Amino acid sequence: MAERVEEPIKYDTVPSYPGELMGTGQRALPGDLVATRVPHDSPLRTTPLPPQNWFQKHEALIIGTVAVVIFFVAWQAVGSARIVSRLFLPAPTDVIEAFTELVKDGELAQDLGYSGAEFGIGYVLAAAVAIPLGLLLGWYPRFRYALDPFVTFLYATPRIVLLPLFIIWFGIGMESKIAVIFLGAFFAILINTTAGVRNLDAHLIKVARSLGAGDLVIFKTIALPGSVPFILTGLRLGIGHALIGVVVGELVAAQHGIGRMMAIAGATFQSSKVFAGLFCIAAAGMLLTYALQRLERHFDAWRPQR
Amino acid sequence: MKLQARDVVIHHRRQRYGDMLLAVDGATMDIGEGEFVAIVGPSGCGKTTFLNAVDGLLPITSGTLTLNGRPIDRPGHDRGMVFQQPSLLPWRTVMGNVLYGVELLGLPKGEARAVAKRFVEMVGLEGFAESYPLELSGGMQQRVNLARALAVDPEVLLLDEPFAALDAQTRETMQHELLRIWNQTRKTAVFITHDIVEAVYLADRVIVFTARPGRVKEILKVDIPRPRDLRVKRDARFVEIETRIWESIREEAARDTLAATA
């Protein structure tokens, strides 16, 4: 039984469709608001937006880049004008010079390797322990009640204050830094993972139960995939905490590393070297955060783009 | 009898008040093989609670509730529930969501996919198999919800106000669609709704619940031949049945208001 459906009148601007202005006999110009009867199978049922020009397409990137360029030019101008002593504020060119020097004598590679190793070990260990523990804390309320006081205590305390203890326990080598990095990243990941499991949609659990799923199956098919976005957020936030651990740990006491290099440079008024170190750490943080954001977006494919 | 309830009493646990509320107080009914039954009643009369008990999600306090003579005490694949909220797994596609229940049956992968595909097509979503729930309209989400329940091939289909959250036009389309799909499967169906027209349009019999605590107040046979077109809603016989039920519920709602203000 095929019902006859009156074609709907669709009001829209039809940029490249030379229709007729209703009843007037005049031809519509591109951009005119015209009412056209659009057949069901016509591609015109969706009207393309007017094409964007190059600037409109990359607006955010262009404005951002220009702002950064202006900033560096201004900085260079202030630095070159020698309003402030080079000891306090080196110009960008001085920083680049210091940076190339650090690269040339191999100091930077060694420090980066050392700090990177600390970061890598501490962060991966934190993720490996915090994700399973967070899932358990979210899933078993009684387990959570037992551990909550400890988690709250340690989360509320800046983990850096534990550094003196760690130096006593692990010495001034890599181990004490790994411990600080571990604790830094650990809580961001743990708390987000727990929140992910606890914020599960009760309706979904009901559906799974109705379909005959047991606890283990619900955990695997609902709790685990449902907490992935939260876990990734925790991992992303953990990067920042871990980097703080790297730098502060090495500033206090260390034998090698970027933080150590910066501490020495600072103590000897080599501010361009301090800036070079600062940019290295900032670059590392931005790169890692970017990678995690990409990963988050990959797992968020089901969320419509805003 | 397919589904039998004898003096079913259910207490519903209220988290917020920390008490057990008497939701259903002695519901008795017999539902036959292949029958489509709608349960209507004033809001809060315990009809959803009753359906949850039939699905095995809630325990009953006393009475007996049996499916094919076996007491119901847990959820099972012999019943499929279509919830009021679509409750789709947002990280799974339409296909993945319909597949979900079939996977839990433990069918081999290829076979499970074939089954899921058949039901995605049956609810008219073949063009959206790879879409995610959040990209779909409310009506389409409920189609997935329905396909998911049907895909496990239950003996009884339970529907808890599945169209309540849809706009009027979509609701009518879905009612028509439901009958079309039901005609293909002819499964025993229990449909909860507060929409009397919907109940009369869909069901072979309409069961009216009293105000809380819910009991079966009366059972009306809808002697309107199938297949039913949406135009049947304008027929004299239809309106007659509808009015009877409306008056019956009106009475209950008034009683409930009096009780609440007494």
Side-chain angles (χ1 to χ4, degrees), chain A residues 220-237:
Chain A
K220 275 199 294 198
T221 59
I222 310 274
L224 213 51
S227 351
V228 164
F230 285 81
I231 295 174
L232 289 172
T233 304
L235 286 173
R236 179 163 53 80
L237 296 176

Side-chain angles (χ1 to χ4, degrees), chain B residues 10-74:
Chain B
I10 309 167
H11 283 83
H12 176 69
R13 187 186 170 142
R14 292 195 300 180
Q15 209 74 40
R16 199 187 317 167
Y17 301 95
D19 61 4
M20 301 289 278
L21 178 78
L22 177 62
V24 178
D25 187 18
T28 296
M29 66 180 77
D30 292 312
I31 296 171
E33 173 83 53
E35 199 182 4
F36 198 127
V37 168
I39 300 178
V40 294
S43 58
C45 73
K47 46 193 194 295
T48 293
T49 307
F50 178 75
L51 198 71
N52 277 328
V54 175
D55 194 34
L57 291 170
L58 279 179
I60 60 174
T61 313
S62 65
T64 55
L65 191 57
T66 59
L67 175 61
N68 293 327
R70 287 189 309 273
I72 292 168
D73 59 353
R74 73 188 64 169

Side-chain angles (χ1 to χ4, degrees), chain B residues 119 121-124 143 146-147 150 157 174-187:
Chain B
F119 284 96
E121 278 164 16
M122 189 184 278
V123 299
R143 282 171 193 261
L146 179 62
L150 284 170
L157 188 62
M174 290 302 292
Q175 290 166 0
H176 193 74
E177 280 288 285
L178 178 63
L179 278 194
R180 178 183 67 78
I181 293 159
W182 180 76
N183 253 319
Q184 293 176 43
T185 56
R186 286 280 173 171
K187 294 217 179 281

